[in-house]
Amino acid sequence: MSGNPGNSLRALSPTPPERGSFPLDHDNECIIQMQKYLNCMKLVGNENAPNCRLLAKEYLRCRMDHKLMDRDDWNHLGLPRDLEEESISRDKDEHYFGQGK
């Protein structure tokens, strides 16, 4: 007799995080950006300050550039787009949808 309820032999399988897992920064490629962000959070008492969000964005950009996480849209990460990215997106929209006459 097995001690499992329902006599199930199926192994428990862990589920990955919703956003997926990503490698640790073993080579400290983004440690400077991480430290700046953590220092900012410490200064503002862990509040969601705009200047800290910009540092978080720098850190995430570093991680993306070094293939430590998948590229994702800033809106999906809860961060605003850069002005340059906004103008590129607007140009694409105008190309596909016309200039809103």
Side-chain angles (χ1 to χ4, degrees):
M1 289 250 160
S2 167
N4 292 340
N7 213 9
S8 174
L9 297 177
R10 153 184 101 151
L12 294 175
S13 60
T15 57
E18 186 176 321
R19 290 303 232 166
S21 59
F22 51 87
L24 297 176
D25 188 6
H26 291 292
D27 295 328
N28 295 322
E29 295 170 302
C30 299
I31 195 164
I32 293 170
Q33 292 86 346
M34 178 190 68
Q35 288 173 337
K36 286 180 182 178
Y37 171 70
L38 292 175
N39 287 337
C40 181
M41 291 300 289
K42 189 183 227 180
L43 287 172
V44 298
N46 293 322
E47 292 293 322
N48 191 11
N51 53 333
C52 293
R53 283 195 299 269
L54 293 175
L55 293 172
K57 191 171 180 177
E58 285 180 27
Y59 173 60
L60 293 173
R61 180 178 285 126
C62 179
R63 289 191 62 85
M64 289 181 210
D65 291 346
H66 288 93
K67 310 264 187 276
L68 294 170
M69 67 181 282
D70 291 336
R71 291 217 173 266
D72 203 343
D73 188 61
W74 294 118
N75 290 333
H76 295 156
L77 298 171
L79 296 164
R81 282 198 206 170
D82 293 330
L83 293 176
E84 182 180 317
E85 292 170 347
E86 284 287 330
S87 67
I88 290 170
S89 177
R90 204 173 310 115
D91 291 344
K92 284 182 184 177
D93 289 347
E94 287 177 1
H95 174 75
Y96 292 119
F97 303 113
Q99 297 198 357
K101 295 178 184 178

